[in-house]
Amino acid sequence: MERKMVCNLVELEEFTTIPPCTPTQVDISIFTSLIDMIRQAPQDETPGKLEQRIKKAKIIPNYEKYNFRGQLMVLAELGIMPNPYVKPLYDGFTHFTDICNIKYPGSSRSDIILPLAGWRGANSIDETRLQALFGNIMQ
């Protein structure tokens, strides 16, 4: 266990040396298109159906399912793609054991985990959180 903590510390120390990146106009355009597609989701759309719809729209260059899912998970962890089952990591830590004990529609069939798994089209986008975190680039 101690070795793993040392590795994590080394990774975190290295991470702090990486300079912030500035998104390009292409990055911003792709992100804006993605957010618009999420906003347009049918009420009952699941994260899996959203992934399929976005892949079909071809707005993500070099689309790769699990890389893209990770990007959606970040939006869920930031609270931009809200869910009614677990708070996003941005708002506080929820122990993994507690997350595993939450039952929600589809929880036994999906390889998508909370908080993203709890999102539905009816939840759309938390516009306040989106503006707070990305309003400076989405103008």
Side-chain angles (χ1 to χ4, degrees), residues 31 34-35 38 51 66-83 87-91 112-117 125 129-130 133-134:
F31 183 68
L34 170 64
I35 295 298
I38 296 169
E51 287 176 349
Y66 294 105
N67 286 339
F68 180 65
R69 183 171 296 168
Q71 294 166 353
L72 289 180
M73 183 61 103
V74 168
L75 292 176
E77 289 289 15
L78 290 173
I80 292 170
M81 291 179 71
N83 78 88
K87 65 184 171 187
L89 187 57
Y90 187 83
D91 293 331
I112 301 173
I113 60 171
L114 287 172
L116 178 59
I125 293 285
R129 181 66 55 90
L130 176 67
L133 297 176
F134 293 101

Side-chain angles (χ1 to χ4, degrees), residues 62-119:
N62 304 315
Y63 178 94
E64 196 284 316
K65 179 179 180 175
Y66 294 105
N67 286 339
F68 180 65
R69 183 171 296 168
Q71 294 166 353
L72 289 180
M73 183 61 103
V74 168
L75 292 176
E77 289 289 15
L78 290 173
I80 292 170
M81 291 179 71
N83 78 88
Y85 305 103
V86 63
K87 65 184 171 187
L89 187 57
Y90 187 83
D91 293 331
F93 180 76
T94 303
H95 196 277
F96 185 69
T97 305
D98 296 334
I99 291 172
C100 290
N101 290 324
I102 296 171
K103 300 296 178 211
Y104 54 93
S107 62
S108 62
R109 303 186 318 259
S110 180
D111 62 338
I112 301 173
I113 60 171
L114 287 172
L116 178 59
W119 177 88

Side-chain angles (χ1 to χ4, degrees), residues 6-27:
V6 170
C7 289
N8 288 342
L9 178 60
V10 170
E11 290 167 352
L12 286 172
E13 287 174 342
E14 182 179 342
F15 183 73
T16 63
T17 66
I18 299 171
C21 64
T22 303
T24 66
Q25 280 306 118
V26 172
D27 296 330

Side-chain angles (χ1 to χ4, degrees), residues 39 80 126-136 138-139:
R39 284 181 180 129
I80 292 170
D126 181 328
E127 297 291 343
T128 302
R129 181 66 55 90
L130 176 67
Q131 285 305 310
L133 297 176
F134 293 101
N136 61 327
M138 295 190 66
Q139 298 178 26

